[in-house]
Amino acid sequence: MKITRRKLLKGGAAAGAVAATGFPHTWVKDASLAYAAGGKIKVGVLFSLTGTTGIIEESLNKATIMAIEEINDQGGINGMQIEAVVEDPASDPATFAQKARKLVLSDKCVSVFGSYTSASRKAVLPVFEKRKNLYWYPTLYEGRECSKNVIYTGAVPNQQQDEFVPWLVKNFGKRWYLIGSNYIYPKEENNYCKKLLEELGAEVVNEEYVPLGHSEFSSVVNKFRSEKPDVIFSTVVGDSVVALHRQYRAAGLDPAKMPMASLTTSENEVAAMGGDAAAGHFTSAPYFMVWGSPENQKFVEAYQKRWGADKVTHFVSEPCYFQVKMFQQAVSKLAPSDINPANIREAVKGVELTAPQGKVRLDAATLHTYLWPKIGQCKSDGQFEIIKQSPGWLKPVPYKAYENQVCTEQGLKET
């Protein structure tokens, strides 16, 4: 059943949607037709293929492209093919913003799938809010955002930490060392972590941040040795994850006594560093490659067939994949003349599908996603053993660290 313009855009709202479709200074009789011209639907794919986060973002590009290819191979969306316009922002936030403007204004993409770091998401956000376009963001992130122009399919702090932090305190102890890359995501995640630790009667013995791309961790490792924390809580990202783990192992530290507990170390980084460097350490995420569902088996097999038998899937590539399928569901409800960012946003609210991690749902109020938290311990073969999982999907609460604020369909509200 198609959702018509009458159902989605009543009265003056229809004119507002047309005015905001990316044709500044020009009135178009039916601007939505530009988004489905020639039987194709243009979308942007904006992940770094080079630079410090290329190690992880290249796999996000692959998962996104694979999902698009699957949809097109199955006949597209109501007979329309998805056309992907791929850009490489080279791990640079300013370049992300430049490429985003091109995709929205020049290429007339109806949505863009992109970003790994919060720095890059923050860089492109003004583009999508000003132009009333739609950005699909697959990465775990710090929450504390309430935008009508972003679809968030990665985990927020409550979905990664609410079970992880108490489990670590119970099993390893109350003295914690926080180490992260120096930008908004690690700092906000650590703020939430410290809130949970305080409630549990635990303490932070040190909190330290290193530049993005940092690779020399000898002084940090020496502090691990001298401070002897019970848990090292890591929000280091990109190439730095590989360097940190390798130097930890070279120093002879023991994960059985002083494990690194990460929100950002996936199978992808483990493949780069080698399983021995990651063995014994922990990660909290909604998805691991070993997850034993039929949907995940199909996903992993398709990914390796498309990109190589040595390739791994992980907790950011998986939402890259399923968010394209969410996009498909939303657009399939629309008549071709009604395909525009505003209508897609309305159509995707409340969408459910069975992803490789389990059944997920986009929360209509926050545009964040219900996910399935899991705790994994890395093994020397580069895969994780899932040692704890949530009994059900967990509602996203992007402002949980800020008790007087809540994200609603009307925007951020004070409570």
Side-chain angles (χ1 to χ4, degrees), residues 255-285:
K257 298 178 180 178
M258 190 194 303
M260 282 194 282
S262 178
L263 305 180
T264 53
T265 303
S266 76
E267 292 87 344
N268 200 69
E269 289 86 356
V270 173
M273 73 179 74
D276 287 344
H281 298 294
F282 297 92
T283 292
S284 172

Side-chain angles (χ1 to χ4, degrees), residues 133-272:
N133 208 285
L134 207 54
Y135 199 56
W136 298 68
Y137 182 64
T139 313
L140 57 147
Y141 91 109
E142 68 278 356
R144 204 183 177 187
E145 194 166 279
C146 188
S147 175
K148 294 182 179 180
N149 299 97
V150 182
I151 305 298
Y152 305 86
T153 55
V156 290
N158 74 292
Q159 293 172 312
Q160 282 193 286
Q161 295 197 47
D162 279 6
E163 296 186 14
F164 195 34
V165 172
W167 183 87
L168 289 163
V169 167
K170 178 181 178 181
N171 286 278
F172 292 96
K174 295 184 176 183
R175 299 181 70 256
W176 285 44
Y177 193 117
L178 311 185
I179 177 72
S181 296
N182 191 17
Y183 70 106
I184 184 173
Y185 165 75
K187 293 179 179 180
E188 285 292 336
E189 287 284 4
N190 283 343
N191 284 340
Y192 190 72
C193 179
K194 288 184 285 188
K195 179 183 175 71
L196 295 176
L197 291 175
E198 183 179 3
E199 293 171 357
L200 294 164
E203 64 173 321
V204 175
V205 299
N206 207 335
E207 181 176 358
E208 187 169 357
Y209 297 94
V210 298
L212 282 167
H214 189 71
S215 61
E216 179 47 66
F217 285 95
S218 58
S219 64
V220 172
V221 171
N222 285 337
K223 291 174 189 175
F224 293 165
R225 183 182 283 111
S226 62
E227 295 280 2
K228 295 182 174 58
D230 298 316
V231 175
I232 299 164
F233 190 70
S234 174
T235 47
V236 170
V237 303
D239 293 343
S240 299
V241 175
V242 175
L244 176 60
H245 276 78
R246 284 178 173 171
Q247 290 167 46
Y248 174 106
R249 184 172 187 269
L253 301 180
D254 185 359
K257 298 178 180 178
M258 190 194 303
M260 282 194 282
S262 178
L263 305 180
T264 53
T265 303
S266 76
E267 292 87 344
N268 200 69
E269 289 86 356
V270 173

Side-chain angles (χ1 to χ4, degrees), residues 44-63:
V45 180
L46 190 61
F47 296 108
S48 298
L49 305 178
T50 56
T52 187
T53 57
I55 184 176
I56 186 78
E57 292 191 52
E58 185 252 358
S59 65
L60 312 186
N61 171 283
K62 283 180 164 60

Side-chain angles (χ1 to χ4, degrees), residues 375-398:
I375 299 171
Q377 184 175 31
C378 195
K379 302 186 297 181
S380 59
D381 66 357
Q383 291 294 322
F384 286 82
E385 178 185 0
I386 298 174
I387 56 179
K388 183 176 173 61
Q389 64 184 40
S390 171
W393 63 12
L394 190 61
K395 179 180 179 179
V397 189

